Amino acid sequence: MKAIIYHSMSKKKTSKEIALKIEGDHFEIKPLKPINTYFFQLIVYGFKTVANKGVKYEKMDIDFSKYEEIVFVSPVWAGRVNAFMRQFLKDNRFHDKKVTIIGSCEGGYDKYFESYKGLIDGCCEIVEKQMYVKGVKE
Ligand SMILES: Cc1cc2nc3c(=O)[nH]c(=O)nc-3n(C[C@H](O)[C@H](O)[C@H](O)COP(=O)(O)O)c2cc1C
């Protein structure tokens, strides 16, 4: 059984669309106080992502023991894992799982997969990495 944990911010909701096509239990990381203007998202969330600042999201209860595999789907921000997915991974530790990491971006994702280092326990096995550029799988 898979848990699909996703965050999606833009109006297109690309990561959400990708996540919902995968079979399993879905969990959305929702910001507590979302910023709705793209310009301010770029400035505020771009800064928080690069400066490794904390963000707040709605409380989620996930029983990780129910799942063999966990799939993470989220947008690339500043070339790397975005602030909300990073915060979720800092707050939720899990062990001995298969993990798939999926990103969604416009084409710039140089640090995305390596930026998960240290956020996912070494006892987990990363089984797949996928990137969607403008909604199309690479
Ligand atoms: C703060 C911020 C930073 C972003 N940084 C990048 C980036 O470095 N590279 C890129 O290709 N796209 C970047 N984007 C665009 C998103 O990654 C892209 O539109 C993504 O597909 C949105 O997914 P979503 O619809 O699930 O939110 C950024 C968007 C925001 C809001």
Side-chain angles (χ1 to χ4, degrees):
M1 175 89 139
K2 284 183 190 175
I4 299 102
I5 299 169
Y6 65 95
H7 171 67
S8 206
M9 173 69 67
S10 80
K11 288 198 173 81
K12 285 187 186 163
K13 297 275 180 251
T14 313
S15 309
K16 181 174 185 172
E17 201 176 293
I18 297 163
L20 295 184
K21 283 187 184 145
I22 304 166
E23 214 168 294
D25 289 346
H26 295 87
F27 302 92
E28 182 171 5
I29 305 167
K30 294 182 183 163
L32 262 192
K33 288 181 189 166
I35 296 171
N36 295 316
T37 319
Y38 187 63
F39 176 74
F40 289 113
Q41 285 175 1
L42 282 176
I43 296 194
V44 176
Y45 292 140
F47 168 72
K48 283 182 187 271
T49 299
V50 172
N52 210 356
K53 297 283 181 195
V55 288
K56 293 191 172 155
Y57 55 90
E58 291 179 15
K59 195 175 160 6
M60 301 159 82
D61 277 323
I62 303 176
D63 178 3
F64 286 99
S65 68
K66 280 171 63 181
Y67 304 103
E68 288 140 33
E69 183 168 343
I70 307 180
V71 181
F72 296 103
V73 192
S74 68
V76 177
W77 286 355
R80 65 202 81 188
V81 58
N82 70 81
F84 287 95
M85 183 58 83
R86 182 176 62 209
Q87 189 69 52
F88 175 86
L89 290 168
K90 282 183 178 174
D91 297 342
N92 295 274
R93 306 308 286 188
F94 49 86
H95 314 277
D96 302 313
K97 305 288 178 195
K98 288 181 178 166
V99 170
T100 291
I101 300 172
I102 302 177
S104 153
C105 74
E106 302 297 319
Y109 61 92
D110 52 330
K111 301 182 200 78
Y112 185 68
F113 295 113
E114 72 174 67
S115 66
Y116 277 81
K117 269 191 197 148
L119 295 172
I120 293 172
D121 191 278
C123 301
C124 294
E125 184 196 355
I126 299 188
V127 289
E128 218 181 326
K129 295 173 181 173
Q130 298 175 9
M131 182 55 67
Y132 286 74
V133 176
K134 298 184 176 103
V136 179
K137 194 172 166 186
E138 290 270 275

